Short mmCIF file of all heavy atoms in Angstrom, two decimals:
data_model
loop_
_atom_site.label_atom_id
_atom_site.label_comp_id
_atom_site.label_asym_id
_atom_site.label_seq_id
_atom_site.Cartn_x
_atom_site.Cartn_y
_atom_site.Cartn_z
N VAL A 38 3.80 -4.11 14.86
CA VAL A 38 3.44 -3.43 13.61
C VAL A 38 1.91 -3.36 13.51
O VAL A 38 1.19 -3.83 14.39
CB VAL A 38 4.06 -4.14 12.38
CG1 VAL A 38 5.56 -3.91 12.33
CG2 VAL A 38 3.71 -5.62 12.36
N TYR A 39 1.46 -2.79 12.42
CA TYR A 39 0.02 -2.51 12.24
C TYR A 39 -0.82 -3.79 12.36
O TYR A 39 -1.88 -3.80 12.99
CB TYR A 39 -0.15 -1.87 10.87
CG TYR A 39 -1.54 -1.46 10.52
CD1 TYR A 39 -2.10 -0.29 11.01
CD2 TYR A 39 -2.31 -2.25 9.66
CE1 TYR A 39 -3.38 0.09 10.67
CE2 TYR A 39 -3.59 -1.87 9.31
CZ TYR A 39 -4.12 -0.70 9.82
OH TYR A 39 -5.40 -0.33 9.47
N ALA A 74 15.68 -5.68 8.49
CA ALA A 74 14.29 -5.38 8.11
C ALA A 74 14.16 -3.86 8.11
O ALA A 74 14.76 -3.19 8.95
CB ALA A 74 13.31 -5.99 9.09
N ILE A 75 13.39 -3.32 7.16
CA ILE A 75 13.22 -1.87 7.07
C ILE A 75 11.77 -1.54 7.39
O ILE A 75 10.86 -2.11 6.80
CB ILE A 75 13.54 -1.34 5.64
CG1 ILE A 75 14.85 -1.91 5.13
CG2 ILE A 75 13.57 0.18 5.63
CD1 ILE A 75 15.05 -1.72 3.62
N ARG A 76 11.61 -0.61 8.31
CA ARG A 76 10.25 -0.22 8.70
C ARG A 76 9.99 1.24 8.33
O ARG A 76 10.69 2.14 8.80
CB ARG A 76 10.10 -0.40 10.21
CG ARG A 76 8.73 0.01 10.70
CD ARG A 76 8.68 0.06 12.21
NE ARG A 76 7.36 0.44 12.63
CZ ARG A 76 6.60 -0.25 13.46
NH1 ARG A 76 7.04 -1.36 13.98
NH2 ARG A 76 5.41 0.18 13.78
N GLY A 77 9.00 1.45 7.47
CA GLY A 77 8.55 2.80 7.15
C GLY A 77 7.34 3.11 8.01
O GLY A 77 7.45 3.51 9.17
N GLY A 78 6.15 2.89 7.44
CA GLY A 78 4.91 3.10 8.20
C GLY A 78 4.47 1.89 9.00
O GLY A 78 3.53 1.98 9.80
N GLY A 79 5.10 0.73 8.77
CA GLY A 79 4.77 -0.49 9.53
C GLY A 79 3.45 -1.12 9.15
O GLY A 79 2.92 -1.97 9.86
N HIS A 80 2.89 -0.75 7.98
CA HIS A 80 1.56 -1.23 7.58
C HIS A 80 1.58 -2.50 6.76
O HIS A 80 0.52 -3.01 6.41
CB HIS A 80 0.87 -0.15 6.73
CG HIS A 80 -0.14 0.64 7.47
ND1 HIS A 80 0.17 1.36 8.58
CD2 HIS A 80 -1.46 0.84 7.26
CE1 HIS A 80 -0.93 1.96 9.02
NE2 HIS A 80 -1.93 1.66 8.24
N ASN A 81 2.75 -2.97 6.38
CA ASN A 81 2.80 -4.05 5.41
C ASN A 81 2.00 -5.27 5.85
O ASN A 81 2.08 -5.70 7.01
CB ASN A 81 4.28 -4.44 5.21
CG ASN A 81 4.45 -5.44 4.11
OD1 ASN A 81 4.74 -6.59 4.36
ND2 ASN A 81 4.24 -5.00 2.90
N ALA A 82 1.24 -5.83 4.90
CA ALA A 82 0.35 -6.96 5.19
C ALA A 82 1.12 -8.13 5.79
O ALA A 82 0.71 -8.71 6.80
CB ALA A 82 -0.33 -7.40 3.90
N GLY A 84 3.93 -7.99 7.21
CA GLY A 84 4.70 -7.59 8.39
C GLY A 84 6.19 -7.54 8.14
O GLY A 84 7.00 -7.74 9.06
N PHE A 85 6.61 -7.20 6.91
CA PHE A 85 8.03 -7.19 6.59
C PHE A 85 8.81 -6.03 7.23
O PHE A 85 10.01 -5.91 7.03
CB PHE A 85 8.24 -7.17 5.07
CG PHE A 85 7.95 -8.49 4.39
CD1 PHE A 85 7.25 -8.54 3.20
CD2 PHE A 85 8.37 -9.68 4.95
CE1 PHE A 85 6.99 -9.74 2.56
CE2 PHE A 85 8.12 -10.90 4.33
CZ PHE A 85 7.41 -10.93 3.13
N GLY A 86 8.13 -5.19 7.98
CA GLY A 86 8.84 -4.12 8.68
C GLY A 86 9.56 -4.59 9.93
O GLY A 86 10.32 -3.81 10.54
N VAL A 87 9.34 -5.84 10.34
CA VAL A 87 10.09 -6.44 11.46
C VAL A 87 10.45 -7.88 11.08
O VAL A 87 9.82 -8.45 10.20
CB VAL A 87 9.28 -6.47 12.79
CG1 VAL A 87 9.19 -5.13 13.44
CG2 VAL A 87 7.91 -7.09 12.58
N LEU A 96 12.32 3.77 10.56
CA LEU A 96 12.39 5.14 10.04
C LEU A 96 11.23 6.00 10.55
O LEU A 96 11.06 7.14 10.10
CB LEU A 96 12.37 5.07 8.51
CG LEU A 96 13.52 4.23 7.94
CD1 LEU A 96 13.22 3.81 6.50
CD2 LEU A 96 14.84 4.99 7.99
N PRO A 115 11.21 9.27 5.03
CA PRO A 115 10.76 7.88 4.84
C PRO A 115 9.85 7.33 5.94
O PRO A 115 9.31 6.24 5.79
CB PRO A 115 12.07 7.10 4.79
CG PRO A 115 13.00 7.91 5.64
CD PRO A 115 12.64 9.33 5.39
N CYS A 117 7.21 9.06 6.99
CA CYS A 117 5.91 9.76 6.88
C CYS A 117 4.80 8.79 6.55
O CYS A 117 4.99 7.80 5.85
CB CYS A 117 5.97 10.80 5.75
SG CYS A 117 6.88 12.28 6.19
N SER A 135 -1.68 8.71 -3.95
CA SER A 135 -1.23 7.82 -2.87
C SER A 135 -2.17 6.64 -2.81
O SER A 135 -2.30 5.91 -3.78
CB SER A 135 -1.18 8.60 -1.55
OG SER A 135 -2.44 9.20 -1.26
N GLY A 136 -2.87 6.45 -1.68
CA GLY A 136 -3.77 5.31 -1.56
C GLY A 136 -5.16 5.76 -1.19
O GLY A 136 -5.64 6.81 -1.63
N PHE A 137 -5.81 4.94 -0.32
CA PHE A 137 -7.17 5.24 0.10
C PHE A 137 -7.27 5.39 1.61
O PHE A 137 -8.34 5.25 2.20
CB PHE A 137 -8.11 4.10 -0.36
CG PHE A 137 -8.12 3.88 -1.84
CD1 PHE A 137 -7.28 2.95 -2.43
CD2 PHE A 137 -8.95 4.62 -2.66
CE1 PHE A 137 -7.28 2.73 -3.80
CE2 PHE A 137 -8.96 4.42 -4.04
CZ PHE A 137 -8.13 3.48 -4.61
N LEU A 138 -6.13 5.61 2.25
CA LEU A 138 -6.11 5.69 3.71
C LEU A 138 -4.96 6.63 4.09
O LEU A 138 -3.95 6.66 3.40
CB LEU A 138 -5.81 4.29 4.28
CG LEU A 138 -6.43 3.92 5.62
CD1 LEU A 138 -7.92 3.63 5.43
CD2 LEU A 138 -5.77 2.68 6.19
N SER A 140 -3.28 6.58 7.13
CA SER A 140 -2.33 6.05 8.11
C SER A 140 -1.25 5.16 7.48
O SER A 140 -0.28 4.79 8.14
CB SER A 140 -3.06 5.27 9.20
OG SER A 140 -3.71 4.15 8.64
N THR A 141 -1.40 4.83 6.20
CA THR A 141 -0.42 3.95 5.53
C THR A 141 0.90 4.69 5.34
O THR A 141 0.92 5.88 5.09
CB THR A 141 -0.98 3.52 4.16
OG1 THR A 141 -2.34 3.18 4.32
CG2 THR A 141 -0.23 2.37 3.58
N GLY A 142 2.00 3.94 5.40
CA GLY A 142 3.32 4.53 5.23
C GLY A 142 3.59 4.91 3.78
O GLY A 142 3.21 4.19 2.86
N VAL A 143 4.26 6.04 3.60
CA VAL A 143 4.64 6.48 2.25
C VAL A 143 5.64 5.51 1.63
O VAL A 143 5.54 5.15 0.45
CB VAL A 143 5.26 7.90 2.31
CG1 VAL A 143 5.89 8.29 1.00
CG2 VAL A 143 4.22 8.91 2.75
N ALA A 144 6.61 5.06 2.43
CA ALA A 144 7.75 4.33 1.86
C ALA A 144 7.31 3.01 1.23
O ALA A 144 7.54 2.78 0.03
CB ALA A 144 8.80 4.09 2.94
N GLY A 145 6.68 2.15 2.01
CA GLY A 145 6.30 0.84 1.48
C GLY A 145 5.29 0.97 0.36
O GLY A 145 5.38 0.29 -0.66
N LEU A 146 4.31 1.86 0.53
CA LEU A 146 3.28 2.02 -0.50
C LEU A 146 3.90 2.47 -1.81
O LEU A 146 3.63 1.91 -2.87
CB LEU A 146 2.20 3.01 -0.04
CG LEU A 146 1.04 3.23 -1.01
CD1 LEU A 146 -0.31 3.34 -0.28
CD2 LEU A 146 1.26 4.46 -1.87
N THR A 147 4.79 3.45 -1.74
CA THR A 147 5.41 3.96 -2.97
C THR A 147 6.25 2.88 -3.64
O THR A 147 6.14 2.65 -4.85
CB THR A 147 6.32 5.17 -2.64
OG1 THR A 147 5.52 6.18 -2.05
CG2 THR A 147 7.02 5.69 -3.88
N LEU A 148 7.08 2.20 -2.86
CA LEU A 148 8.02 1.27 -3.47
C LEU A 148 7.31 0.08 -4.11
O LEU A 148 7.82 -0.55 -5.03
CB LEU A 148 9.05 0.81 -2.43
CG LEU A 148 9.95 1.95 -1.93
CD1 LEU A 148 10.78 1.53 -0.72
CD2 LEU A 148 10.88 2.44 -3.05
N GLY A 150 4.26 0.46 -5.62
CA GLY A 150 3.48 0.97 -6.76
C GLY A 150 2.61 2.15 -6.37
O GLY A 150 2.77 3.24 -6.86
N GLY A 151 1.63 1.90 -5.46
CA GLY A 151 0.78 2.99 -4.99
C GLY A 151 -0.48 3.17 -5.82
O GLY A 151 -0.46 3.80 -6.88
N ILE A 152 -1.59 2.62 -5.34
CA ILE A 152 -2.88 2.68 -6.04
C ILE A 152 -3.85 3.46 -5.16
O ILE A 152 -4.08 3.07 -4.01
CB ILE A 152 -3.43 1.26 -6.27
CG1 ILE A 152 -2.41 0.39 -7.01
CG2 ILE A 152 -4.76 1.32 -7.03
CD1 ILE A 152 -2.70 -1.10 -6.91
N GLY A 153 -4.43 4.56 -5.70
CA GLY A 153 -5.32 5.36 -4.86
C GLY A 153 -6.34 6.15 -5.65
O GLY A 153 -6.53 5.94 -6.85
N THR A 162 1.40 6.09 -7.66
CA THR A 162 2.36 6.88 -6.89
C THR A 162 3.73 6.88 -7.57
O THR A 162 4.37 7.92 -7.71
CB THR A 162 2.46 6.33 -5.46
OG1 THR A 162 1.15 6.24 -4.92
CG2 THR A 162 3.32 7.23 -4.58
N GLY A 197 9.69 -2.66 -4.65
CA GLY A 197 9.68 -2.81 -3.19
C GLY A 197 11.01 -2.41 -2.56
O GLY A 197 11.83 -1.69 -3.16
N GLY A 198 11.23 -2.89 -1.34
CA GLY A 198 12.42 -2.51 -0.57
C GLY A 198 13.62 -3.36 -0.89
O GLY A 198 14.51 -3.53 -0.05
N ASN A 199 13.71 -3.86 -2.12
CA ASN A 199 14.77 -4.80 -2.49
C ASN A 199 16.12 -4.15 -2.76
O ASN A 199 17.12 -4.85 -2.84
CB ASN A 199 14.36 -5.54 -3.77
CG ASN A 199 13.55 -6.79 -3.48
OD1 ASN A 199 14.11 -7.79 -3.07
ND2 ASN A 199 12.24 -6.71 -3.64
N PHE A 200 16.18 -2.83 -2.96
CA PHE A 200 17.38 -2.24 -3.56
C PHE A 200 18.17 -1.33 -2.64
O PHE A 200 19.27 -0.92 -2.97
CB PHE A 200 16.98 -1.49 -4.84
CG PHE A 200 16.29 -2.41 -5.80
CD1 PHE A 200 14.90 -2.53 -5.81
CD2 PHE A 200 17.03 -3.22 -6.63
CE1 PHE A 200 14.27 -3.42 -6.65
CE2 PHE A 200 16.40 -4.13 -7.48
CZ PHE A 200 15.02 -4.23 -7.48
N GLY A 201 17.61 -1.04 -1.48
CA GLY A 201 18.31 -0.16 -0.54
C GLY A 201 17.30 0.48 0.39
O GLY A 201 16.10 0.22 0.29
N VAL A 202 17.82 1.32 1.29
CA VAL A 202 16.93 2.02 2.22
C VAL A 202 16.70 3.42 1.65
O VAL A 202 17.65 4.22 1.55
CB VAL A 202 17.55 2.14 3.63
CG1 VAL A 202 16.54 2.75 4.58
CG2 VAL A 202 18.05 0.80 4.13
N VAL A 203 15.47 3.72 1.28
CA VAL A 203 15.18 5.05 0.74
C VAL A 203 15.04 6.02 1.91
O VAL A 203 14.28 5.77 2.86
CB VAL A 203 13.89 5.04 -0.11
CG1 VAL A 203 13.57 6.45 -0.61
CG2 VAL A 203 14.05 4.08 -1.29
N THR A 204 15.80 7.11 1.85
CA THR A 204 15.77 8.07 2.96
C THR A 204 15.04 9.35 2.60
O THR A 204 14.83 10.21 3.46
CB THR A 204 17.20 8.41 3.43
OG1 THR A 204 17.95 8.88 2.30
CG2 THR A 204 17.89 7.20 4.03
N PHE A 206 11.95 10.82 -0.51
CA PHE A 206 11.20 10.69 -1.77
C PHE A 206 10.83 12.11 -2.24
O PHE A 206 10.36 12.91 -1.42
CB PHE A 206 9.89 9.94 -1.55
CG PHE A 206 10.03 8.52 -1.07
CD1 PHE A 206 10.17 8.24 0.29
CD2 PHE A 206 9.99 7.46 -1.96
CE1 PHE A 206 10.28 6.94 0.74
CE2 PHE A 206 10.09 6.15 -1.53
CZ PHE A 206 10.24 5.88 -0.17
N TYR A 321 -10.14 1.40 11.15
CA TYR A 321 -9.08 0.40 11.09
C TYR A 321 -7.83 0.89 11.85
O TYR A 321 -6.81 1.19 11.24
CB TYR A 321 -8.73 0.09 9.63
CG TYR A 321 -9.82 -0.69 8.92
CD1 TYR A 321 -10.67 -0.09 8.00
CD2 TYR A 321 -10.02 -2.04 9.21
CE1 TYR A 321 -11.69 -0.81 7.38
CE2 TYR A 321 -11.03 -2.77 8.59
CZ TYR A 321 -11.86 -2.14 7.68
OH TYR A 321 -12.87 -2.87 7.07
N TRP A 327 -5.07 -9.18 10.89
CA TRP A 327 -5.33 -9.05 9.45
C TRP A 327 -4.81 -10.27 8.72
O TRP A 327 -3.69 -10.71 8.95
CB TRP A 327 -4.59 -7.85 8.85
CG TRP A 327 -5.10 -6.50 9.20
CD1 TRP A 327 -4.97 -5.85 10.40
CD2 TRP A 327 -5.81 -5.59 8.33
NE1 TRP A 327 -5.55 -4.60 10.33
CE2 TRP A 327 -6.07 -4.42 9.08
CE3 TRP A 327 -6.24 -5.65 7.01
CZ2 TRP A 327 -6.74 -3.32 8.52
CZ3 TRP A 327 -6.89 -4.56 6.47
CH2 TRP A 327 -7.14 -3.41 7.23
N TRP A 329 -4.56 -11.27 4.59
CA TRP A 329 -4.81 -10.71 3.25
C TRP A 329 -4.64 -11.76 2.16
O TRP A 329 -3.74 -12.60 2.23
CB TRP A 329 -3.76 -9.64 2.92
CG TRP A 329 -3.64 -8.49 3.83
CD1 TRP A 329 -3.28 -8.50 5.14
CD2 TRP A 329 -3.85 -7.11 3.50
NE1 TRP A 329 -3.25 -7.23 5.63
CE2 TRP A 329 -3.59 -6.35 4.65
CE3 TRP A 329 -4.22 -6.45 2.32
CZ2 TRP A 329 -3.70 -4.96 4.66
CZ3 TRP A 329 -4.32 -5.08 2.34
CH2 TRP A 329 -4.07 -4.34 3.50
N TYR A 362 -9.85 -2.04 -6.46
CA TYR A 362 -9.32 -0.70 -6.73
C TYR A 362 -8.97 -0.57 -8.21
O TYR A 362 -8.18 -1.36 -8.73
CB TYR A 362 -8.04 -0.46 -5.92
CG TYR A 362 -8.20 -0.55 -4.42
CD1 TYR A 362 -7.40 -1.41 -3.67
CD2 TYR A 362 -9.13 0.23 -3.75
CE1 TYR A 362 -7.53 -1.48 -2.29
CE2 TYR A 362 -9.26 0.17 -2.38
CZ TYR A 362 -8.46 -0.70 -1.65
OH TYR A 362 -8.58 -0.77 -0.29
N TYR A 422 -0.87 -7.52 -6.51
CA TYR A 422 -0.14 -6.32 -6.08
C TYR A 422 0.74 -6.71 -4.90
O TYR A 422 0.24 -7.21 -3.87
CB TYR A 422 -1.17 -5.26 -5.70
CG TYR A 422 -0.64 -3.94 -5.19
CD1 TYR A 422 0.56 -3.41 -5.65
CD2 TYR A 422 -1.36 -3.22 -4.26
CE1 TYR A 422 1.02 -2.19 -5.19
CE2 TYR A 422 -0.91 -1.99 -3.79
CZ TYR A 422 0.28 -1.49 -4.25
OH TYR A 422 0.74 -0.28 -3.79
N ASN A 424 2.07 -5.19 -2.58
CA ASN A 424 1.77 -4.56 -1.29
C ASN A 424 0.56 -5.18 -0.59
O ASN A 424 0.27 -4.85 0.55
CB ASN A 424 1.53 -3.06 -1.47
CG ASN A 424 2.82 -2.27 -1.42
OD1 ASN A 424 3.85 -2.79 -0.99
ND2 ASN A 424 2.78 -1.04 -1.85
N PHE A 425 -0.18 -6.04 -1.29
CA PHE A 425 -1.33 -6.69 -0.67
C PHE A 425 -1.05 -8.17 -0.39
O PHE A 425 -1.95 -8.90 0.01
CB PHE A 425 -2.56 -6.59 -1.57
CG PHE A 425 -3.16 -5.21 -1.70
CD1 PHE A 425 -3.96 -4.89 -2.78
CD2 PHE A 425 -2.95 -4.23 -0.73
CE1 PHE A 425 -4.54 -3.63 -2.91
CE2 PHE A 425 -3.52 -2.97 -0.85
CZ PHE A 425 -4.31 -2.67 -1.95
N VAL A 460 14.15 -9.11 3.36
CA VAL A 460 12.92 -9.21 4.16
C VAL A 460 11.88 -8.35 3.44
O VAL A 460 11.65 -7.18 3.76
CB VAL A 460 13.16 -8.74 5.61
CG1 VAL A 460 11.87 -8.83 6.41
CG2 VAL A 460 14.25 -9.59 6.26
N ASN A 461 11.29 -8.93 2.41
CA ASN A 461 10.36 -8.22 1.52
C ASN A 461 9.81 -9.24 0.54
O ASN A 461 10.08 -10.43 0.66
CB ASN A 461 11.12 -7.09 0.78
CG ASN A 461 12.47 -7.54 0.23
OD1 ASN A 461 12.58 -8.65 -0.28
ND2 ASN A 461 13.49 -6.71 0.36
N GLN A 462 9.05 -8.77 -0.46
CA GLN A 462 8.64 -9.66 -1.57
C GLN A 462 9.90 -9.78 -2.41
O GLN A 462 10.18 -8.95 -3.27
CB GLN A 462 7.46 -9.06 -2.34
CG GLN A 462 6.23 -8.78 -1.49
CD GLN A 462 5.58 -10.05 -0.91
OE1 GLN A 462 5.95 -11.18 -1.26
NE2 GLN A 462 4.61 -9.88 -0.03
C1 FAD B 1 -5.16 -0.60 6.09
C2 FAD B 1 -4.30 -0.59 4.88
C3 FAD B 1 -4.70 0.13 3.76
C4 FAD B 1 -3.92 0.13 2.61
N1 FAD B 1 -4.33 0.86 1.53
C5 FAD B 1 -3.56 0.89 0.41
C6 FAD B 1 -3.93 1.68 -0.70
O1 FAD B 1 -4.95 2.34 -0.69
N2 FAD B 1 -3.14 1.69 -1.78
C7 FAD B 1 -1.98 0.98 -1.84
O2 FAD B 1 -1.27 1.04 -2.84
N3 FAD B 1 -1.59 0.21 -0.80
C8 FAD B 1 -2.37 0.16 0.32
N4 FAD B 1 -1.99 -0.61 1.38
C9 FAD B 1 -0.83 -1.47 1.25
C10 FAD B 1 0.42 -0.70 1.59
O3 FAD B 1 0.88 -0.11 0.40
C11 FAD B 1 1.49 -1.66 2.13
O4 FAD B 1 1.02 -2.20 3.32
C12 FAD B 1 2.83 -0.98 2.30
O5 FAD B 1 3.80 -1.97 2.44
C13 FAD B 1 2.83 -0.06 3.50
O6 FAD B 1 4.00 0.65 3.60
P1 FAD B 1 4.64 0.97 5.03
O7 FAD B 1 5.79 1.85 4.82
O8 FAD B 1 3.55 1.39 5.96
O9 FAD B 1 5.05 -0.51 5.44
P2 FAD B 1 6.29 -1.17 6.22
O10 FAD B 1 5.69 -2.36 6.89
O11 FAD B 1 7.01 -0.22 7.04
O12 FAD B 1 7.22 -1.61 5.03
C14 FAD B 1 6.72 -2.34 3.94
C15 FAD B 1 7.82 -2.87 3.05
O13 FAD B 1 8.53 -1.79 2.47
C16 FAD B 1 9.90 -1.83 2.83
N5 FAD B 1 10.31 -0.48 3.22
C17 FAD B 1 9.69 0.33 4.10
N6 FAD B 1 10.33 1.50 4.16
C18 FAD B 1 11.36 1.44 3.30
C19 FAD B 1 12.37 2.35 2.91
N7 FAD B 1 12.44 3.57 3.40
N8 FAD B 1 13.29 1.94 2.01
C20 FAD B 1 13.23 0.71 1.46
N9 FAD B 1 12.29 -0.19 1.80
C21 FAD B 1 11.36 0.17 2.70
C22 FAD B 1 9.98 -2.79 4.01
O14 FAD B 1 11.19 -3.46 4.03
C23 FAD B 1 8.84 -3.73 3.75
O15 FAD B 1 9.25 -4.77 2.89
C24 FAD B 1 -2.73 -0.61 2.57
C25 FAD B 1 -2.33 -1.31 3.70
C26 FAD B 1 -3.10 -1.30 4.84
C27 FAD B 1 -2.66 -2.07 6.03
#
Side-chain angles (χ1 to χ4, degrees):
V38 289
Y39 182 80
I75 312 166
R76 179 190 180 125
H80 258 58
N81 187 252
F85 286 138
V87 284
L96 302 161
C117 284
S135 55
F137 301 93
L138 212 75
S140 63
T141 316
V143 170
L146 182 141
T147 300
L148 295 169
I152 305 163
T162 308
N199 272 284
F200 302 93
V202 186
V203 177
T204 56
F206 298 85
Y321 289 105
W327 288 74
W329 302 63
Y362 300 125
Y422 178 33
N424 273 346
F425 290 159
V460 179
N461 44 41
Q462 302 295 351

